[in-house]
Amino acid sequence: MPHQKHIALLLFLALCLIGLWLVNLSSGTVAIPVEALVQIFFSQEVATASWTKIFWKVRFPKAMAACLVGSALSVAGLQLQTLFRNPLASPSVLGVTAGASVGVASVLLTTGAFNVGMLIKQVGVSGNWLMIGAAFLGAFAVLLLILLVSLRIRDNVTLLIVGLMVANLTVALVGIWQYFSNPTQIRTYVLWTFGSLSALTYSQVPILSVVVIAGLLLSLGIAKPLNVLLLGDQYAQSLGVNIKRIRLFIIIITSLLAGSITAFCGPIGFVGIAVPHLVRVVFKTTNHYILIPACILVGASLLLLCDLVTQLPANDQVLPINAITSLIGSPIVIWIILRQKFTRGIF
Amino acid sequence: MQRILSLWLLLSIAACHSSSEEKADHTTNASRPTAPTTTQHAQGFDITYGEGYKLVSVFHPFVDQPDTLQYVLLTSAASLPPSLQALPQITLPVKRMVILSTTHLGFLAALQSTEVIVGMAGTEYVYHPTIRQRVQMKQIASLNEQGLDEEAILALDPQLVMVSGMPQSDLGKYQKLIDLGIPVVINAVWLEASPLGKAEWIKFMAAFNDTESAANTYIEVIEKAYTTLLDKTKAIPSKERKSVLSGVAYQGNWYIPGGKSFMAHFFEDAAAIYPWQNLPESGSVPLSLEAVYNKALDTEVWLNVGNATSLEALEQLDERYGDFKAFQNGEVYNRTKRVHINGGNDYWEAGVVQPHLILADLIKILYPSLLPDHELYFYEKL
């Protein structure tokens, strides 16, 4: 596909994203007329005061969360798939999600002397920052472990296996805690694992945005070595790419992106693995200068779309976002991959 | 209210006295039938009395299973009708019982027969001081409901194990115990929706301890206290009624008690306007934050705010809570007044047998002038 076509496609995706963002902001369980929404958006007073609050405190943070989650996880997944040259790699394989879940479980499930939550509370952190902090610390701890391992080994496959094993270990740890917890604690934990875009509040939007945008910019910064990595480690080395350093970079960026998302919104699956495949098939390129912006646009659009679907029509109920991303996305990916033979050639 | 309470105390002492007399009677003359009891409010169980036995039926043992489970309680060695011989049999009186829910503890405590407990699950979260003491002294074994230790239960030599008909649990989990000859009794009180109906499960418990007369007296007092309160709230004109919101959001989703839930029953009886009274569910329903937020903004009173015990702690959970009218007016209450440092909450233990106190608390919160002398029992203001 020629370069101009890529640019045109990216522009089209950007328009889609803006469109979906507007649709997402204008739909919800409470019916608010479009004129009122426009007035609210441009900081004008509207007759119904609660509409302003609903827009700025509920819908806006949720739409932003969808964009941030979708773009961050997609780009993280793309990088890892390139690094490991494995189509099954996603942020969860490095144990980032698992680490975050251990952090959250340590706050929610343990009791008595082992309650990390109690310890953190004594330092003066509480409320939802407690969970966010715990998730981030958990993800960071696992990252450190993986980093130490990656400094010692050369082989990417070994690193992948270590990541998977660390994830298994954390599942076991959480399992033991669940076993000894009471039903209320388990319920709270299980609800966390469903993931949620609504958990992000207005004042948290800037914090998460800064982290995610920084991570995305850093990703664009390493687009060139990522392109070279696809040609094979030896070839990359001969072209002057420091494999160990780029590996370190990717791991840090991934945990920044996936770790912060998991901390604020819970573990959200599927996006990280599926969007990179979608993008590669649609753009028919391996150039990361195109793939990264495409992942950002497609990931954000997909999450906005999924969030629209979670709102059951004519009903105040919502479905868990995690279920919807997989439910909608998996068949699409299967269909595309079966139709195209493109994926086979890359890895 | 104070008068009702003291009357209740008096009667419960009397009931306890008569029940201990009855127990003494029972040991000398085992074949003597105990005072029978019938259900008025509860819909989940029934007890029928035959010559030398009681037949206890649980109609709705599990959340998704309407099959009736039956148990034969033998009061004497008399021969059973052939139709009943295949049912699980328990010889009365039960002196050694394993309970797997703290709610069961509430019933036994109200019947003053906690001494029958030899093992229980969730001992870490018990509020009842005597039980905590007995757990510490190893007189009550701590069990784990999720990973049932059959050996530990067998070693306790219980006459029955009482379990909750929780969702996803079926008798399969307890099949090993049944195979070992230990009767497993399903106590489905949590599926009972009305407050008085729930409290009436005390009669179910009493059937196993031969304390039906004590249970009857107890329920009469509770019922009287409850209906007295109901009469007060009925008189409140509809435009003076206050609206309530219940619960907090988890990760941005709000689990709202359905219109047929235990809490919604209380709201109705307390003459509160509950915006979700029309939801057909008897459990909680996950609603979108936006849907709840919209209604919650103007709700006058906010109850049951998770584990939060201060407005600051509540706002730290989600800054959006600060927008609620009830929050701004300080009309936020939580059922955390009787919580032990271990996390055990008396509301979940004794609340089920003291619905009149829960209702009185709600009335006091909503319409303080109706109960000037009542001091909040389970609830506290944040």
Side-chain angles (χ1 to χ4, degrees):
Chain A
M1 211 187 279
H3 201 60
Q4 283 88 347
K5 257 193 169 176
H6 284 153
I7 303 290
L9 205 53
L10 282 177
L11 281 175
F12 171 72
L13 283 172
L15 285 176
C16 282
L17 175 62
I18 293 168
L20 277 166
W21 191 69
L22 290 176
V23 173
N24 194 290
L25 280 176
S26 61
S27 70
T29 28
V30 179
I32 305 177
V34 178
E35 313 91 78
L37 285 171
V38 174
Q39 283 175 334
I40 292 167
F41 192 75
F42 293 104
S43 324
Q44 287 173 22
E45 292 285 315
V46 285
T48 318
S50 67
W51 288 351
T52 315
K53 283 182 176 155
I54 287 174
F55 183 85
W56 285 116
K57 301 253 173 121
V58 181
R59 286 192 192 174
F60 177 74
K62 187 157 63 81
M64 288 309 291
C67 293
L68 294 171
V69 168
S71 51
L73 293 181
S74 304
V75 170
L78 173 74
Q79 288 182 354
L80 291 177
Q81 287 175 6
T82 302
L83 173 69
F84 294 123
R85 286 204 299 285
N86 187 323
L88 292 177
S90 74
S92 53
V93 298
L94 271 189
V96 177
T97 318
S101 67
V102 168
V104 170
S106 71
V107 173
L108 292 180
L109 296 180
T110 54
T111 45
F114 300 106
N115 192 337
V116 183
M118 288 303 285
L119 289 175
I120 305 173
K121 265 180 201 160
Q122 282 163 4
V123 188
V125 185
S126 65
N128 60 0
W129 284 111
L130 183 65
M131 283 232 297
I132 293 165
F136 199 82
L137 281 179
F140 190 71
V142 170
L143 153 85
L144 267 185
L145 193 75
I146 301 282
L147 266 181
L148 287 177
V149 174
S150 81
L151 289 177
R152 299 199 59 161
I153 53 167
R154 282 157 182 267
D155 188 9
N156 279 336
V157 178
T158 315
L159 190 59
L160 194 65
I161 293 172
V162 170
L164 283 171
M165 289 305 116
V166 170
N168 272 339
L169 270 176
T170 58
V171 169
L173 196 60
V174 173
I176 292 171
W177 279 337
Q178 276 185 306
Y179 184 82
F180 287 106
S181 301
N182 67 25
T184 328
Q185 290 173 309
I186 295 175
R187 185 168 171 264
T188 319
Y189 176 73
V190 170
L191 289 177
W192 179 79
T193 63
F194 283 161
S196 168
L197 299 176
S198 305
L200 193 72
T201 63
Y202 185 75
S203 66
Q204 290 166 350
V205 170
I207 302 166
L208 188 60
S209 302
V210 166
V211 177
V212 168
I213 290 170
L216 294 177
L217 288 177
L218 284 173
S219 308
L220 272 173
I222 57 164
K224 195 175 174 187
L226 281 171
N227 283 342
V228 181
L229 268 182
L230 276 179
L231 303 171
D233 282 2
Q234 283 177 345
Y235 194 80
Q237 261 167 337
S238 70
L239 282 178
V241 173
N242 185 336
I243 299 280
K244 267 192 180 171
R245 202 163 68 194
I246 196 71
R247 193 157 67 185
L248 204 71
F249 252 49
I250 294 175
I251 293 172
I252 290 174
I253 295 172
T254 305
S255 34
L256 201 66
L257 289 172
S260 61
I261 291 295
T262 315
F264 280 93
C265 304
I268 292 180
F270 177 79
V271 188
I273 186 165
V275 172
H277 288 297
L278 271 177
V279 166
R280 273 191 220 101
V281 168
V282 172
F283 281 81
K284 293 192 175 60
T285 179
T286 52
N287 181 0
H288 284 76
Y289 282 111
I290 300 292
L291 288 178
I292 291 173
C295 273
I296 293 172
L297 295 173
V298 173
S301 306
L302 188 78
L303 254 278
L304 284 169
L305 186 72
C306 287
D307 181 57
L308 278 173
V309 179
T310 60
Q311 301 163 9
L312 297 172
N315 197 323
D316 286 353
Q317 295 194 29
V318 277
L319 295 169
I321 184 78
N322 228 344
I324 297 300
T325 48
S326 306
L327 212 59
I328 295 185
S330 307
I332 299 178
V333 169
I334 293 172
W335 181 67
I336 289 178
I337 287 186
L338 286 181
R339 273 188 68 217
Q340 306 274 345
K341 297 182 178 75
F342 186 73
T343 319
R344 224 176 286 161
I346 307 169
F347 300 109
Chain B
M1 190 65 215
Q2 221 108 46
R3 210 179 312 153
I4 298 168
L5 263 180
S6 51
L7 180 74
W8 168 69
L9 262 175
L10 199 76
L11 275 171
S12 60
I13 292 165
C16 164
H17 187 64
S18 67
S19 78
S20 59
E21 259 178 13
E22 204 177 86
K23 261 188 237 160
D25 246 17
H26 199 85
T27 43
T28 50
N29 184 5
S31 66
R32 193 185 140 174
T34 45
T37 187
T38 49
T39 56
Q40 262 128 44
H41 305 280
Q43 307 193 327
F45 75 98
D46 182 46
I47 308 167
T48 52
Y49 293 81
E51 190 62 45
Y53 71 90
K54 307 173 195 175
L55 179 65
V56 177
S57 310
V58 182
F59 300 127
H60 200 109
F62 306 110
V63 68
D64 44 4
Q65 216 180 311
D67 307 346
T68 300
L69 287 177
Q70 290 188 308
Y71 307 95
V72 175
L73 314 186
L74 298 165
T75 47
S76 75
S79 62
L80 279 176
S83 60
L84 300 181
Q85 277 170 5
L87 294 174
Q89 296 172 13
I90 298 154
T91 309
L92 296 189
V94 173
K95 295 219 179 291
R96 301 179 67 79
M97 190 191 279
V98 165
I99 55 175
L100 294 184
S101 165
T102 43
T103 316
H104 305 161
L105 170 61
F107 291 114
L108 286 169
L111 288 167
Q112 319 235 336
S113 20
T114 49
E115 73 282 351
V116 300
I117 305 170
V118 290
M120 74 177 283
T123 48
E124 316 83 307
Y125 312 106
V126 166
Y127 180 83
H128 198 286
T130 328
I131 297 296
R132 268 205 320 268
Q133 224 168 31
R134 287 183 53 207
V135 169
Q136 237 164 27
M137 292 160 72
K138 307 264 182 218
Q139 290 168 348
I140 295 178
S142 286
L143 299 167
N144 188 335
E145 198 199 342
Q146 272 148 87
L148 214 52
D149 184 350
E150 285 88 2
E151 281 185 30
I153 293 178
L154 200 62
L156 294 170
D157 188 27
Q159 286 162 280
L160 68 91
V161 174
M162 194 171 277
V163 305
S164 294
M166 289 300 275
Q168 286 144 22
S169 82
D170 50 60
L171 277 177
K173 186 173 163 190
Y174 307 105
Q175 194 55 48
K176 218 176 202 174
L177 282 178
I178 298 168
D179 291 346
L180 288 166
I182 301 171
V184 172
V185 175
I186 304 285
N187 182 329
V189 61
W190 77 281
L191 285 167
E192 194 80 48
S194 84
L196 282 177
K198 256 196 205 307
E200 214 176 8
W201 277 74
I202 195 173
K203 294 176 177 173
F204 175 85
M205 192 59 103
F208 293 89
N209 297 323
D210 279 336
T211 47
E212 281 100 326
S213 54
N216 286 341
T217 323
Y218 184 89
I219 278 297
E220 269 169 41
V221 177
I222 299 283
E223 198 179 347
K224 209 167 178 179
Y226 200 91
T227 40
T228 314
L229 291 168
L230 263 186
D231 291 339
K232 281 182 196 278
T233 58
K234 265 185 204 148
I236 302 170
S238 56
K239 62 177 175 199
E240 280 173 33
R241 298 190 173 200
K242 287 189 186 164
S243 51
V244 289
L245 164 73
S246 178
V248 286
Y250 285 103
Q251 283 288 100
N253 288 328
W254 211 299
Y255 288 75
I256 285 287
K260 301 269 180 295
S261 66
F262 188 48
M263 221 52 233
H265 269 276
F266 273 120
F267 293 154
E268 199 177 348
D269 290 349
I273 301 169
Y274 183 51
W276 295 275
Q277 198 80 48
N278 292 330
L279 286 179
E281 284 84 356
S282 55
S284 290
V285 194
L287 295 186
S288 73
L289 183 67
E290 182 174 318
V292 180
Y293 184 80
N294 187 36
K295 289 181 181 169
L297 280 172
D298 297 321
T299 311
E300 284 155 292
V301 175
W302 186 8
L303 300 165
N304 311 333
V305 285
N307 297 323
T309 47
S310 72
L311 288 175
E312 293 76 41
L314 186 59
E315 202 173 15
Q316 273 176 353
L317 286 176
D318 195 319
E319 66 199 29
R320 287 172 281 215
Y321 295 156
D323 300 334
F324 297 175
K325 185 174 152 191
F327 185 97
Q328 286 160 0
N329 294 342
E331 287 295 308
V332 186
Y333 300 82
N334 207 356
R335 46 195 172 199
T336 45
K337 192 165 179 188
R338 296 169 68 77
V339 174
H340 187 253
I341 188 121
N342 65 6
N345 190 340
D346 200 30
Y347 177 89
W348 300 113
E349 257 170 60
V352 68
V353 283
Q354 294 173 325
H356 59 304
L357 289 179
I358 298 177
L359 183 62
D361 273 7
L362 294 181
I363 295 172
K364 178 79 180 182
I365 289 167
L366 291 160
Y367 315 106
S369 61
L370 283 184
L371 295 174
D373 300 329
H374 175 72
E375 198 186 316
L376 291 182
Y377 188 76
F378 291 115
Y379 278 87
E380 62 184 349
K381 195 175 189 168
L382 258 62

